[in-house]
Amino acid sequence: MKNRNRGKVSPEWIVILCIFSFALGTFLSNRIWVVPESEDQIMPIGRRPEILAANSGDCATEKDKEELIGEFSKAHEAIDCVIPWRHVRSLDSSIAKLRMELPSTKNSRKIGKFENFSTILHPGSNETRKKTFMVIGINTAFSSRKRRDSVRETWMPQGKSLLQLEEEKGIVVRFMIGHSATSNSILDRAIDSEDSQHKDFLRLEHIEGYHELSAKTKAFFSTAVEKWDAEFYVKVDDDVHVNLGTLAATLARYRSKPRIYIGCMKSGPVLHQKNVKYHEPEYWKFGEEGNKYFRHASGQIYAISKDLAKYISINQPILHKFANEDVSLGAWFIGLEVEHIDDRNMCCGTPPQCEWKAQAGNVCVASFDWTCSGICKSVERMKDVHAKCGEDAATLWNALI
């Protein structure tokens, strides 16, 4: 009797074998897989490379991979309900090996993950950004053609030199401007014509307006981050004189630090009186009347490192805009682990101050007049400032970046 019982299969094992056979049969039905000699991807028999090429092969392959893993998982779940762990460890091993060999489609679609902020930069975009050292956006307006020409004639390279600067030194310089409120207006067409001549504009998805400078700043950093993978991003006004080589050398000293905010730091009064320049409608947020703003870089010129530009790009929908653009930028960083660098060489006065410093071998990064928030009468005076305070022509091209 004992011998007869030993030869029988218990009902429990019969159920187990049935379930396993059913799951295995479902998996193997119409799914005999081979590895083509000329391809490094799994492909079902009967679906040749030439056929897949006509049917968007990448998508089909990724879908098949997901289905393959799914079938293994279903088989495992069905068996695991009735079979102890020790009986299915080999199946688990196969699933784990398969998951390692076939990367997840979800993960493969994550593009531009931030090193420090762990956020996807541009979901769904496959555009490759060009690696550069710094991107300089010169803030300008529709009515500032003469200002732009004064910059082109002095410190901003033109034509082939501008392209050479970008390719050899990784320095991108562009006038940044948005669009008018009216689509394809005469103002927009004038910028298009000017850009076709000089090829030195960065057009922003932004409606131009004096009281929209904070929004324009967000648009600039977001657009620049999307287009270029730079170590630093710089904003400068079109009535400021800049020595590009000296600016590059200054920023290069901080390239090992992750979150740098550099400029001429200030803390001016919060102006609550209406109808005055730089009036702050939300003055009450800064405390009692007569209070000062927190420290922030003056708006004529400042630079931020890559991580901060990415932060603005990601969070721009919820970054609050105060009346003054430089205050807004400072507010976006005030609660973050950001190193504020106060560099007074970024706000030298016009001659004779910057001239004296240049003669002493301490060339200024930027020069302007505080009384005018830029160079007073910059169109007429930019050449004179450049002649007296500009760096040697070789400084830019010999700068060690």
Side-chain angles (χ1 to χ4, degrees), residues 138-153:
I138 306 174
N139 184 36
T140 192
F142 290 117
S143 59
S144 299
R145 173 63 190 262
K146 291 184 178 180
R147 281 189 179 184
R148 291 191 291 274
D149 286 339
S150 70
V151 170
R152 291 182 179 117
E153 293 166 1

Side-chain angles (χ1 to χ4, degrees), residues 40 167 254 272:
D40 289 330
E167 294 178 345
Y254 302 102
H272 64 278

Side-chain angles (χ1 to χ4, degrees), residues 178-380:
H179 299 270
S180 65
T182 304
S183 178
N184 197 33
S185 70
I186 188 173
L187 297 175
D188 290 311
R189 293 197 299 272
I191 294 295
D192 291 339
S193 175
E194 187 178 345
D195 189 28
S196 65
Q197 178 184 356
H198 296 282
K199 302 185 186 307
D200 56 5
F201 277 92
L202 175 63
R203 299 303 295 271
L204 309 176
E205 291 299 323
H206 167 77
I207 303 300
E208 287 290 320
Y210 179 78
H211 296 292
E212 296 298 328
L213 291 179
S214 293
K216 186 175 183 179
T217 299
K218 288 199 291 185
F220 163 62
F221 286 120
S222 298
T223 304
V225 163
E226 182 178 358
K227 192 172 180 64
W228 294 283
D229 180 15
E231 295 184 50
F232 295 95
Y233 297 83
V234 183
K235 177 262 176 179
V236 60
D237 288 338
D238 61 4
D239 56 353
V240 171
H241 180 270
V242 179
N243 285 313
L244 292 175
T246 306
L247 172 61
T250 299
L251 295 181
R253 296 201 296 266
Y254 302 102
R255 69 193 316 169
S256 63
K257 297 187 177 183
R259 292 173 296 277
I260 293 297
Y261 173 33
I262 180 171
C264 290
M265 299 294 164
K266 65 176 185 177
S267 179
V270 181
L271 302 178
H272 64 278
Q273 302 92 341
K274 293 184 178 181
N275 301 320
V276 298
K277 193 175 183 180
Y278 307 127
H279 164 63
E280 179 58 72
E282 296 180 279
Y283 63 89
W284 59 274
K285 289 186 177 180
F286 297 90
E288 302 301 323
E289 292 183 6
N291 277 4
K292 291 186 175 182
Y293 288 115
F294 40 77
R295 290 284 174 183
H296 60 279
S298 176
Q300 286 86 352
I301 181 173
Y302 51 74
I304 62 176
S305 54
K306 176 190 297 188
D307 286 346
L308 297 183
K310 288 179 178 179
Y311 175 81
I312 294 174
S313 177
I314 299 164
N315 296 287
Q316 60 168 324
I318 60 172
L319 293 178
H320 186 70
K321 302 186 296 293
F322 289 103
N324 300 300
E325 164 253 342
D326 52 358
V327 172
S328 295
L329 186 77
W332 300 337
F333 300 152
I334 198 67
L336 305 179
E337 287 294 336
V338 174
E339 184 173 353
H340 291 56
I341 305 294
D342 183 19
D343 190 332
R344 308 316 290 185
N345 261 355
M346 295 183 74
C347 54
C348 295
T350 54
Q353 183 187 0
C354 61
E355 185 179 11
W356 292 338
K357 296 189 72 172
Q359 292 172 354
N362 186 21
V363 177
C364 292
V365 173
S367 301
F368 58 89
D369 301 307
W370 284 104
T371 55
C372 299
S373 297
I375 296 177
C376 298
K377 298 182 179 179
S378 64
V379 173
E380 293 81 10

Side-chain angles (χ1 to χ4, degrees), residues 71-129:
E71 295 293 352
F72 263 119
S73 299
K74 289 177 183 178
H76 170 266
E77 291 170 1
I79 296 168
D80 196 39
C81 291
V82 291
I83 300 179
W85 165 256
R86 64 180 179 274
H87 295 297
V88 292
R89 59 189 176 188
S90 63
L91 181 59
D92 267 348
S93 177
S94 299
I95 294 174
K97 183 178 180 182
L98 183 62
R99 289 188 185 279
M100 291 177 65
E101 293 176 350
L102 303 179
S104 167
T105 303
K106 276 185 180 179
N107 291 337
S108 69
R109 288 178 186 148
K110 291 183 179 180
I111 298 173
K113 192 170 184 179
F114 293 145
E115 295 82 5
N116 294 317
F117 294 99
S118 299
T119 309
I120 296 174
L121 179 60
H122 300 295
S125 172
N126 292 312
E127 182 179 353
T128 301
R129 297 178 301 149

